[in-house]
Amino acid sequence: MSGGGGMWCPTDSRTGVYRRRRGAVRGPQAAMEARWGAAVRLVVLVRAWALVSGQVRYSVPEEAKVGTVVGRLSQELGVEAGDAEARRLRVVWQGRRASVEVSGASGALVVSSRLDREELCGKSAPCSLRLELLLERPLRVFHVELEVTDINDNAPLFPAARKNISIAELSLPGSRFPLEGASDADIGANAQLSYTLSPSEHFVLDVKSPDENRKSLFLVLMKALDRETVPVHRLVLTASDGGRPSLTGTMELAITVLDANDNAPQFSQSVYKVQLLENTAEGSVVVRVNATDPDEGLNKEFAYSIVSAVPGGSRGLFSIDPKTGEIRLTTALDYEDVRLHELQIEATDRGTPPLSGHCSVELEVLDVNDNAPEVWVTSLSVPVPEDASVGTVVALLSVSDRDSGANGRVQCSVWPTSPFGLESRFAGSYSLVLREALDRERVSEYEVEVRAEDGGKPSLRARRGVRVPVSDVNDNAPSFSQAVYTVLARENNAAGAELARLWARDPDEAGNGRVSYSLWEGVAGAPWSGGGWRPASSYVSVDAESGRLWAVQPLDYEELQVLQFEVRAVDAGEPPLVGNATVQLFVVDENDNAPALLPTAGGRAGLVPFAGGVGGSSVEAASGSESETLWAWAAWGSPAGQVVAKIRAVDADSGYNAWLRYEVWEPRGKGPFRVGLYSGEVSTVRALEEADGPRQRLVIVVRDHGEPSRSATATLSVSLVEGGEAALATAAGSSSSSVSGVVLPAEGGAAAGAASASANVWLVVAICAVSSLLVLALVLYGAARWAPRAAVLSGPAPATLVCASEVGSWSYSQRQSRSLCVAEGGGKSDLMVFSPNLPPPPPQPGPASKDTSQPEPSALLNTVSSPRFLATALPTLPSFFLSFIGCPHGM
C-alpha cells in the first residue's frame, strides 16, 4: 500500500495492519551512528512533508481485537513517542464515536473499541472511514483514511425459525408451494447463499435463479400424503454462505396434513378376555375397551355401545360408558350360576357417512370362597356306655361345599381331639368313632364339635355340635378319703356317743354309687382284761347309711388304749364292689385314778428303808382324809440332808395325770424334815437335836397333775433315837420283814466299809441288768418293726415303771415301754425307751378282706393329729426287784 509517495509495510502479519517502514538503522558503533544521523534526519523531513502535502491510508479487518496497532503515527510524523504525548496528539472522528485512538505512550494508532463493518457501512463496499489527527504546540491537522475490511462473521438468516404449512390429505403429487429465502449481512463471497432440504420421500426443494442476486424457492410434493400415517411432516431448510469457513442458517418447515373421513374406528383388540372374581362389588370397572379413529375432527368422534350378550340375560349385568368405553358391573355375579359371559361392543364415528368398528369381550367369572362348608348329622347313637370298646361308631356325618376347586375341598376334624375321632369312608361322609376308653366318673357328657374347613384363602369354617352322654357302669369301688383314719376318744364317754364320721366316695351314679357301711368282723378284735379276745363291735358300731361311728359302751383307758379295726363300704351295683379303710381308735386318758402307794417287800405300803433309818406301815391308797401311820427312825445328830425315808406311789393314769408331786401337809411351820417334791424322799432340813423331842409326826400329801387334781395322804411318824439303836432297828427291819423297825446309824470303820462294798456290788449288778434290758428292748423293737402287722392292734399295756427325778423330768407311756433307772445317789435322772409296735392279735378264723392293708409306720404316725397320752397300769412289783433296778421306792 502506498500513500504520500511513501512505502507501507505490514506491522503485524496476524492482523494485516500496514505501517510505513522507517529507513534509519542504529548501528552498534558510535562512528556508524554519526554517519547515519544525517540520513535519518533527512528521512524524517521527507515523511513530515508527505503528511503535510498528502493523505495517509490504513487498513484494518473488522472485529479486530482492542489494542491492535493500526499504524505508527509518531514515526509517520517524525515525532518522538514522548513528544507525541506532550503535544497532545489525538484522533477526531467526524460524527461518530471513535473506534481507534492514539496511544500516548508509543504514539501508535490502536483499536480502542469493536469495529463492525456491517454496522459502520452496511452492504457498501469498500468501507472507508476518514479520520483527523490533531497535533498541538504548534497546532497542526493531518487526515488519515482507515479502511475496514469484511470478514465472514454473519451467518445466513431466515425471516422465521419455523414456518407452518397446511396441505390437504388428498393433494396430488407435483403440487408446488413457495418458500422465502434467507439473507446475509456480509458482502461479496461471504454473502453468496446456497440451499438444501432435509431428506423426505414426500417433498423436494426446487431453487430458481432469475438473476445473480435473487433466488426463488419452491417446495414440491412428490408422493401422496396419508394423514393417519404421518399427520405432520417436519423438514429442515438450510442456507449456507460462501465464506471460509462457511456459515449456515436453518428454518424448520412444519407441514400439517389436513384430514379426510377415510378411516373407521379400530379397537386395540378384537377380543378382550377378562377374569373377574364373583364377589366383585357392583359398580366396579370390569374392563375398558379402547378404539381409535385415525381421522380428526368430527371424523374422529365416536361412541361405544353393547350390541348383544351371551347368555341373553347377561346384557343387564353390564353397562358401558359411550365416551370412555368403561364397562361396569351393575349386578352381583355368581360363579355357581353363570361362569362365562360374552359381550359384543360397537364403536361408531360421526363422519359422513358414519363408519363403525366392533370387538367382543369374554368375561370369565372366577370362583371365590364365598360358601362355607355344611355339616349334617345323619345318624346319632347315644348314650354311649362307658365300657364301650374302642372303634365304636357314635355318629354319621355328611359334609359338602358349593364352591369348586380348592375352595370346595373340605377337611374335617373333631374337638376335643380325644376320646373321639373322625374316619372317612368316601368323600363327603365321616364317621364319629370312639378312639379311647371312656370314664363316666371323669367326664359324664361330651360336647363334641365337628369342625369343617375348606381349602380357600382365607378358608371358611363350619361347626356342628354333637352332644354325647356317657351311661354309667359299676366300674368304681367305694373309696375312702383316707386309707387310715385316726380317731381320738376320751375315756368314760357315754354309750352311743358319736366318735367320727366315715365317708366313702363312689363316683358311679344311681345304685352303682349308693354305699353302705359295716364293720369287718373277720379279723377285728381286742384283748380283754377278763381273758380272751373281744370283737371290735363290742366297743364301736358304724351306721350303714351315714357312716357314723359311735361307741357301744363307755371306754376305759386303763382297759383299752388302742383299738384298730376295718370298715367296709359296699356299693349296690351288680356285681357289688367293696372298699376298705382302717380305723385306729386312740382312747385319751382322763384323770379318773388317784395316786396309790406301792407296797414294800413285806406286803406293807409306802416306805423304803435307808441307811439313816427304816420304816414300814400300811397306807391308804385311795384319795381321802384317812391314812395309816408309817414308822421311821432317825438318829440324833444326823446332818442336814440325811434321807430317813422314801414315799413310793403310782398313778394308773398317764402323762400329766400320772405325774406325782409330794408335799408336807403338816406341820406347816419350820420342821426338821422336808420331802422331795418329785422324789418322795424324806430328809432332814438341819441337824437333829434333843430339843426336837423323841418323835416327829409328818402328814405327806401325794398329788397328780390332772384336772382336777387327785391326791392321797400318808402319815409318817419318825422316832429320834441314838445312833446304835438306829442301826439295830435297820438290821432288824431288813431281816425280819416286819411292818416297822429301827435302823440306827452305823458307827465304826468296819461296819461302814462292809456297807459300802455291798452297795457297790449291787450297783454293778444293777448297771449290768439295765444294759441287758436296753439291748433286749432294742432287739424286740427291731423284730417288731419289721414283723408283719395284724389287722387289730389293741389291748391294755403291761406293767410299766415311770421314774421321775427330783428336778421334775417326766414322760408319757406307750405300748411295750421300758424304763431303765439309775441307782440311787446324786441326781435321779431317767432313761426312757419306747417302742411304737403293738403286739399281734391271736389268729382269727375266716378270710380277710381283699382290700385290707396296713399302713407303713410312717403313715400310721402321720394320721395322729394330736399328742396321745397312753396310760399304763402299774401292777405291784416286788420290792427286791425295784431295789435291783435302782429305782427309789415310792415313785
Side-chain angles (χ1 to χ4, degrees):
M1 181 180 296
S2 63
M7 208 55 171
W8 293 83
C9 299
T11 59
D12 193 339
S13 60
R14 293 173 299 173
T15 60
V17 178
Y18 293 85
R19 66 175 179 85
R20 190 182 304 272
R21 179 181 298 171
R22 296 182 62 181
V25 179
R26 306 184 72 178
Q29 293 85 6
M32 292 184 68
E33 291 180 359
R35 233 184 352 255
W36 288 96
V40 170
R41 283 193 293 271
L42 178 61
V43 171
V44 170
L45 289 175
V46 171
R47 301 303 297 169
W49 177 253
L51 287 174
V52 173
S53 60
Q55 194 173 30
V56 180
R57 295 174 61 84
Y58 291 102
S59 176
V60 60
E62 64 174 332
E63 304 297 340
K65 293 182 179 180
V66 176
T68 300
V69 177
V70 177
R72 300 288 182 179
L73 292 178
S74 59
Q75 295 179 3
E76 301 294 340
L77 298 177
V79 179
E80 296 295 333
D83 293 342
E85 184 177 4
R87 296 180 64 180
R88 298 183 61 187
L89 180 62
R90 66 182 185 274
V91 177
V92 178
W93 199 314
Q94 297 178 2
R96 298 180 181 179
R97 179 178 58 85
S99 297
V100 293
E101 63 181 12
V102 177
S103 175
S106 63
L109 184 65
V110 297
V111 177
S112 62
S113 62
R114 176 175 176 268
L115 287 173
D116 186 1
R117 194 202 66 80
E118 289 75 26
E119 179 183 353
L120 294 175
C121 301
K123 300 289 286 184
S124 300
C127 181
S128 296
L129 303 178
R130 298 183 64 85
L131 306 177
E132 290 185 352
L133 298 177
L134 293 182
L135 181 65
E136 297 182 357
R137 299 175 187 175
L139 179 62
R140 297 181 66 180
V141 179
F142 302 94
H143 296 277
V144 177
E145 184 177 350
L146 179 64
E147 181 181 2
V148 180
T149 61
D150 181 50
I151 64 173
N152 192 22
D153 60 342
N154 292 279
L157 182 65
F158 284 96
R162 179 177 179 180
K163 180 177 180 62
N164 296 321
I165 303 174
S166 297
I167 302 176
E169 183 179 9
L170 300 180
S171 296
L172 299 177
S175 301
R176 299 169 64 88
F177 305 95
L179 299 176
E180 186 177 359
S183 63
D184 195 319
D186 294 327
I187 59 176
N190 296 333
Q192 295 297 323
L193 301 180
S194 61
Y195 296 91
T196 58
L197 184 66
S198 60
S200 173
E201 61 177 343
H202 292 89
F203 299 94
V204 294
L205 182 67
D206 184 19
V207 180
K208 300 292 183 181
S209 301
D211 53 41
E212 184 180 355
N213 297 325
R214 185 164 56 90
K215 291 183 180 181
S216 300
L217 304 178
F218 293 93
L219 187 66
V220 180
L221 178 65
M222 300 299 296
K223 183 179 179 181
L225 299 176
D226 186 1
R227 193 203 65 80
E228 289 73 30
T229 302
V230 182
V232 177
H233 296 264
R234 299 185 182 276
L235 304 177
V236 176
L237 179 61
T238 304
S240 302
D241 60 18
R244 294 288 183 271
S246 176
L247 299 180
T248 62
T250 60
M251 179 176 65
E252 181 183 9
L253 301 179
I255 303 171
T256 303
V257 181
L258 300 179
D259 180 56
N261 190 23
D262 56 348
N263 294 281
Q266 296 292 328
F267 285 92
S268 59
Q269 298 175 228
S270 60
V271 178
Y272 290 84
K273 293 185 177 182
V274 182
Q275 291 181 335
L276 192 65
L277 296 175
E278 64 172 319
N279 62 346
T280 303
E282 296 180 11
S284 301
V285 176
V286 176
V287 67
R288 179 173 182 175
V289 296
N290 183 31
T292 58
D293 192 328
D295 298 327
E296 65 180 7
L298 293 178
N299 300 330
K300 188 177 184 177
E301 295 179 5
F302 54 87
Y304 298 97
S305 62
I306 298 177
V307 178
S308 62
V310 178
S314 299
R315 188 170 182 177
L317 298 177
F318 306 96
S319 64
I320 188 170
D321 190 312
K323 292 183 178 181
T324 63
E326 288 183 347
I327 300 176
R328 294 180 178 271
L329 183 66
T330 58
T331 307
L333 300 175
D334 190 354
Y335 171 84
E336 288 72 29
D337 292 340
V338 180
R339 300 185 181 185
L340 183 64
H341 300 268
E342 184 176 356
L343 305 177
Q344 294 295 328
I345 309 299
E346 181 182 72
T348 304
D349 63 18
R350 297 175 61 185
T352 303
L355 301 178
S356 300
H358 300 84
C359 74
S360 63
V361 177
E362 294 181 0
L363 192 147
E364 181 183 0
V365 181
L366 298 180
D367 181 43
V368 296
N369 195 22
D370 58 344
N371 292 283
E374 297 179 348
V375 182
W376 297 276
V377 178
T378 58
S379 178
L380 181 63
S381 179
V382 292
V384 180
E386 64 176 322
D387 60 348
S389 60
V390 175
T392 300
V393 177
V394 178
L396 296 178
L397 303 105
S398 178
V399 181
S400 65
D401 194 317
R402 293 185 61 200
D403 294 323
S404 62
N407 297 332
R409 287 194 293 270
V410 180
Q411 295 292 331
C412 289
S413 61
V414 64
W415 187 90
T417 55
S418 61
F420 299 100
L422 287 178
E423 293 181 356
S424 179
R425 303 288 182 182
F426 50 89
S429 179
Y430 290 88
S431 298
L432 182 65
V433 298
L434 187 63
R435 290 285 178 82
E436 298 177 7
L438 300 176
D439 186 1
R440 192 208 62 82
E441 289 70 36
R442 187 171 59 88
V443 181
S444 61
E445 184 177 273
Y446 290 90
E447 289 293 337
V448 180
E449 186 176 80
V450 178
R451 299 177 176 179
E453 180 178 0
D454 59 27
K457 293 187 179 303
S459 61
L460 297 180
R461 300 173 178 85
R463 300 180 181 182
R464 175 70 65 179
V466 180
R467 178 176 170 271
V468 182
V470 181
S471 60
D472 182 53
V473 296
N474 190 26
D475 57 345
N476 291 279
S479 175
F480 287 92
S481 59
Q482 298 176 224
V484 178
Y485 287 87
T486 300
V487 180
L488 301 180
R490 291 191 174 275
E491 66 173 328
N492 303 323
N493 60 324
E498 181 176 337
L499 303 178
R501 284 184 180 269
L502 308 180
W503 180 72
R505 177 181 176 272
D506 192 326
D508 295 326
E509 65 179 355
N512 296 332
R514 189 168 58 250
V515 179
S516 60
Y517 304 90
S518 63
L519 287 178
W520 178 245
E521 298 288 355
V523 294
W528 184 37
S529 60
W533 284 76
R534 296 180 61 181
S537 58
S538 62
Y539 295 100
V540 294
S541 178
V542 62
D543 186 79
E545 294 184 359
S546 64
R548 184 174 65 92
L549 186 68
W550 50 278
V552 176
Q553 62 179 4
L555 300 176
D556 186 2
Y557 175 82
E558 288 70 35
E559 176 188 348
L560 178 68
Q561 289 80 42
V562 180
L563 177 63
Q564 182 168 307
F565 55 91
E566 287 189 357
V567 176
R568 300 184 67 183
V570 182
D571 61 23
E574 289 295 337
L577 300 179
V578 180
N580 299 324
T582 300
V583 179
Q584 291 181 344
L585 177 64
F586 291 89
V587 181
V588 180
D589 179 49
E590 296 228 345
N591 193 21
D592 57 347
N593 292 282
L597 299 178
L598 291 177
T600 62
R604 308 291 271 176
L607 214 55
V608 176
F610 282 86
V614 297
S617 178
S618 62
V619 67
E620 194 167 336
S623 175
S625 60
E626 296 183 0
S627 64
E628 294 187 4
T629 301
L630 305 177
W631 296 90
W633 290 265
W636 284 334
S638 297
Q642 178 69 45
V643 178
V644 298
K646 183 175 180 66
I647 306 298
R648 296 187 300 112
V650 296
D651 196 318
D653 297 323
S654 65
Y656 273 97
N657 297 331
W659 187 17
L660 303 181
R661 66 177 183 270
Y662 302 85
E663 299 177 4
V664 177
W665 186 257
E666 291 181 0
R668 296 265 183 190
K670 297 182 178 179
F673 298 98
R674 64 182 177 186
V675 65
L677 181 60
Y678 297 105
S679 65
E681 294 178 349
V682 180
S683 60
T684 58
V685 179
R686 53 180 173 79
L688 299 178
E689 301 174 354
E690 293 185 2
D692 294 327
R695 180 175 299 170
Q696 291 286 331
R697 179 178 177 274
L698 303 175
V699 178
I700 298 175
V701 179
V702 183
R703 300 180 184 275
D704 58 25
H705 284 73
E707 290 294 338
S709 176
R710 294 177 177 270
S711 63
T713 60
T715 301
L716 176 63
S717 180
V718 181
S719 297
L720 303 181
V721 295
E722 295 293 338
E725 295 179 359
L728 293 176
T730 301
S734 300
S735 60
S736 62
S737 300
S738 60
V739 175
S740 62
V742 177
V743 178
L744 298 177
E747 294 182 4
S756 176
S758 177
N760 290 336
V761 170
W762 287 111
L763 180 59
V764 172
V765 172
I767 292 174
C768 293
V770 168
S771 301
S772 301
L773 290 175
L774 176 60
V775 173
L776 179 61
L778 293 176
V779 171
L780 293 177
Y781 173 76
R785 173 74 174 177
W786 300 108
R789 298 188 177 182
V792 178
L793 304 176
S794 61
T800 303
L801 179 62
V802 181
C803 299
S805 66
E806 292 183 356
V807 296
S809 64
W810 62 277
S811 63
Y812 62 88
S813 302
Q814 291 187 4
R815 292 285 296 164
Q816 291 189 342
S817 61
R818 298 290 183 267
S819 302
L820 304 180
C821 305
V822 300
E824 67 174 319
K828 310 260 187 323
S829 61
D830 303 330
L831 176 61
M832 306 298 294
V833 180
F834 298 99
S835 173
N837 295 320
L838 301 177
Q844 297 292 333
S849 173
K850 64 179 180 179
D851 295 332
T852 302
S853 61
Q854 292 298 326
E856 292 297 325
S858 60
L860 179 62
L861 295 178
N862 290 336
T863 60
V864 180
S865 59
S866 62
R868 284 86 173 170
F869 299 99
L870 306 179
T872 305
L874 299 178
T876 303
L877 296 178
S879 299
F880 74 89
F881 181 73
L882 294 175
S883 301
F884 175 78
I885 65 175
C887 289
H889 295 212
M891 288 209 48

